[in-house]
Amino acid sequence: MSGNVVSRDCVFVTRRLSVEPWHGAADKYGIDLTAAVAAILSPRTTRALPPAWQGGYTVERARRWVVERDRESVTLLVVDRYSDEPVGLMILYENASEHGAQRRLRIGYVIKQSSWRKGIASELVSGLVQWARAQPLVGSITGGVESQNAASARVLTKNGFSLINRDSNGETETYTLELRI
């Protein structure tokens, strides 16, 4: 996580969501983080994630997953502001860009299945984009989606991202939003 200079301070609020690093959010809202992760990461919500992350999660598997994410990224807990219930996760990976001090954020997110089709993902990405625009060191945001996941592709394009790459086997598309050049 040492490379996450900017994203470790990522905190933002949208109309319906409160988003902040997961340990602090869990403490703030009295949420059992591993139980929340186990509830969010279901076989359906993990279907498009890396193979090692797919499938159902017990509390023990979720505990291991939390430790692994803490080692390599900043993970944000997405909490419904009205119910104080966790509805998703956003993972931020950060790299230095070729433009000196500016950082490139790579994002991934998972929305709890019961919160699908409610605009949560669009609102989440929009909030992140607004936060990133206010960070002088963030130069771009990139996200990958499974080619068959039209809803996730729409979330990104609706928020100003452009398709920049399809992998050679056509399974994954990469979208980028350039904030500063």
Side-chain angles (χ1 to χ4, degrees):
M1 189 171 89
S2 61
N4 291 301
V5 176
V6 177
S7 55
R8 69 176 168 233
D9 296 322
C10 184
V11 174
F12 60 91
V13 175
T14 67
R15 185 173 60 83
R16 295 180 292 173
L17 307 173
S18 177
V19 183
E20 60 188 279
W22 58 358
H23 294 288
D27 290 345
K28 178 179 178 178
Y29 292 100
I31 294 169
D32 178 335
L33 182 59
T34 54
V37 167
I40 292 167
L41 299 178
S42 70
R44 295 237 9 237
T45 64
T46 62
R47 186 174 45 211
L49 298 180
W53 295 6
Q54 294 177 8
Y57 279 71
T58 62
V59 171
E60 183 53 38
R61 184 178 181 200
R63 185 173 290 113
R64 288 190 309 270
W65 197 81
V66 167
V67 169
E68 291 167 7
R69 297 301 67 74
D70 282 343
R71 284 189 197 131
E72 66 184 26
S73 61
V74 169
T75 305
L76 309 175
L77 187 61
V78 182
V79 178
D80 180 297
R81 291 180 57 205
Y82 301 105
S83 68
D84 291 344
E85 293 295 319
V87 295
L89 302 168
M90 177 172 265
I91 302 170
L92 305 175
Y93 299 95
E94 187 175 320
N95 295 306
S97 75
E98 57 277 1
H99 304 291
Q102 288 193 337
R103 312 300 285 179
R104 292 183 313 225
L105 292 183
R106 187 167 44 100
I107 63 169
Y109 61 86
V110 179
I111 304 300
K112 191 174 188 177
Q113 188 175 346
S114 61
S115 296
W116 286 1
R117 298 188 231 320
K118 296 179 181 176
I120 298 293
S122 291
E123 187 172 331
L124 173 62
V125 172
S126 174
L128 177 73
V129 168
Q130 289 176 18
W131 173 85
R133 286 189 191 285
Q135 309 305 311
L137 293 180
V138 178
S140 65
I141 307 171
T142 300
V145 299
E146 188 178 47
S147 297
Q148 297 175 3
N149 191 341
S152 284
R154 265 192 315 280
V155 165
L156 295 177
T157 57
K158 184 189 310 186
N159 281 289
F161 289 69
S162 299
L163 176 64
I164 61 163
N165 188 44
R166 282 191 178 90
D167 67 2
S168 59
N169 58 10
E171 293 179 8
T172 305
E173 299 173 343
T174 303
Y175 291 79
T176 295
L177 174 63
E178 293 292 339
L179 300 171
R180 293 165 189 85
I181 297 180

